[in-house]
Amino acid sequence: MSLLDRLERIGGFASTYFVVWVLLFSGAALASPATFTWIEPYITPLLGVIMLGMGLTLQPADFARIAERPRDVAIGAVTQWIVMPIAAWAITVALSLPPALAIGVILLGAAPGGTASNVMTYLGKGDVALSVAITTVTTIAAPVVMPAWVVALAGEQLQVTFAEMFTSIVQVVLLPVIAGFVLRIALDRYAPRLATAGLSIFPAISVAAIVAIVAAVVGLNVENILTAGAVVLLAVVAHNAIGLGAGYGVGRASGMSPERVRACTFEVALQNSGLAVALATAYFSPLAALPPALFSVWHNVTGPALATYFSRQSDRTSDVPRAEPADD
């Protein structure tokens, strides 16, 4: 077995059992918080590593696809930008969440799309190109869109300015994505074998980084999880369900093909929870980071389940024999 094959196996194994790793290490963090709380200062750099990996997956063709299908990209991006922040705010009001938890839910709602949406779209036999295009657009726009929504929805509770959040998102998200994109172009041109190796191993690195972030947040919130865990989980479940329903409904209503409807469904609902965790930790409190951390677990339960349903639905459709034209 070649080294590349081994790297691909490691990456595939890590990604396949992602939820298992998250639950395992979250449980360990509940039992022994001090084992993971030391990770807190490294949450932002770890997110940067994850976003660098996202940049490595991008190619010039992905940006060309945005120009090829502006309508569907715009529908998916605008739906996410409008539905998820407003739904987050409505949930905080309906559940009367305390300020720290409310800010965490709003940060989650205002976050751009996450790379998990691309994976789930692929597993659900959706339009992966459209999914990548929407994720790219929402990520590039995140430095403006995310702080704008957070200031609008939680302004009275904020001690951070729009400019500070804008700068952080540029540093943590946009610059690593651009660096990964440039690095991918250089590697494809001058070291294609190294590029292939990087793409093979980075899924495992990203999984390890996300697991570390979630475990750190759990370790920092042991008492809060025991006292407020149920209401936070309810907020996360409701937010994810609204996103999935809105993405699917808007996709169908706008006349998208079934493959694009699936992509729109995942793009609207699956947020970049790691970014919300990093901003919550940097500017607010560990408690504010709890909702997006739990979302990291939950959307990796609903995502694969829905992807499996979509995949089976697609298989049934493809198995239906087409009617032969009648003879005259």
Side-chain angles (χ1 to χ4, degrees):
M1 182 184 296
S2 68
L3 177 60
L4 286 180
D5 289 336
R6 290 179 180 176
L7 292 176
E8 287 180 356
R9 279 197 169 190
I10 293 171
F13 181 76
S15 300
T16 300
Y17 297 100
F18 175 79
V19 176
V20 175
W21 307 133
V22 170
L23 293 175
L24 182 64
F25 281 89
S26 295
L30 283 173
S32 179
T35 304
F36 300 95
T37 52
W38 63 270
I39 300 173
E40 181 183 8
Y42 304 101
I43 288 177
T44 297
L46 285 171
L47 178 63
V49 171
I50 296 168
M51 301 315 297
L52 177 69
M54 177 182 171
L56 281 172
T57 66
L58 297 177
Q59 294 179 293
D62 295 320
F63 293 92
R65 292 188 187 103
I66 297 174
E68 292 171 0
R69 56 184 73 193
R71 173 185 175 273
D72 290 348
V73 173
I75 289 172
V78 171
T79 302
Q80 184 193 49
W81 284 331
I82 293 176
V83 169
M84 297 305 277
I86 293 177
W89 173 80
I91 288 168
T92 64
V93 173
L95 297 179
S96 299
L97 294 181
L101 290 176
I103 288 175
V105 175
I106 289 171
L107 280 169
L108 175 64
T115 54
S117 60
N118 310 143
V119 177
M120 299 310 160
T121 298
Y122 170 75
L123 295 176
K125 297 185 178 180
D127 190 326
V128 178
L130 176 62
S131 176
V132 171
I134 297 174
T135 300
T136 302
V137 168
T138 57
T139 300
I140 291 173
V144 174
V145 174
M146 190 174 183
W149 268 120
V150 173
V151 169
L153 298 176
E156 296 180 357
Q157 306 173 39
L158 294 182
Q159 295 180 343
V160 58
T161 66
F162 177 98
E164 289 173 324
M165 291 188 67
F166 174 88
T167 302
S168 289
I169 298 171
V170 168
Q171 292 173 343
V172 176
V173 175
L174 201 57
L175 292 182
V177 168
I178 293 173
F181 175 66
V182 173
L183 181 60
R184 172 69 183 277
I185 292 175
L187 290 176
D188 282 343
R189 180 172 299 179
Y190 300 109
R193 288 178 61 84
L194 186 58
T196 303
L199 290 173
S200 299
I201 195 59
F202 238 98
I205 295 173
S206 296
V207 167
I210 295 172
V211 169
I213 290 172
V214 173
V217 173
V218 170
L220 292 164
N221 284 286
V222 172
E223 293 184 6
N224 294 320
I225 290 173
L226 297 177
T227 57
V231 69
V232 176
L233 182 59
L234 177 59
V236 165
V237 171
H239 193 235
N240 182 236
I242 291 170
L244 291 171
Y248 184 82
V250 169
R252 287 288 300 270
S254 61
M256 291 185 188
S257 66
E259 293 76 17
R260 294 188 179 185
V261 169
R262 294 166 193 164
C264 187
T265 301
F266 289 121
E267 280 302 319
V268 172
L270 305 189
Q271 307 291 86
N272 188 337
S273 52
L275 174 58
V277 167
L279 291 176
T281 305
Y283 291 113
F284 303 104
S285 66
L287 181 58
L290 183 57
L294 289 181
F295 190 89
S296 293
V297 181
W298 182 249
H299 79 192
N300 281 288
V301 173
T302 59
L306 187 57
T308 300
Y309 171 77
F310 280 153
S311 178
R312 290 176 178 173
Q313 193 177 48
S314 178
D315 290 341
R316 290 195 201 100
T317 303
S318 62
D319 287 341
V320 175
R322 295 182 179 179
E324 296 294 333
D327 293 332
D328 292 332

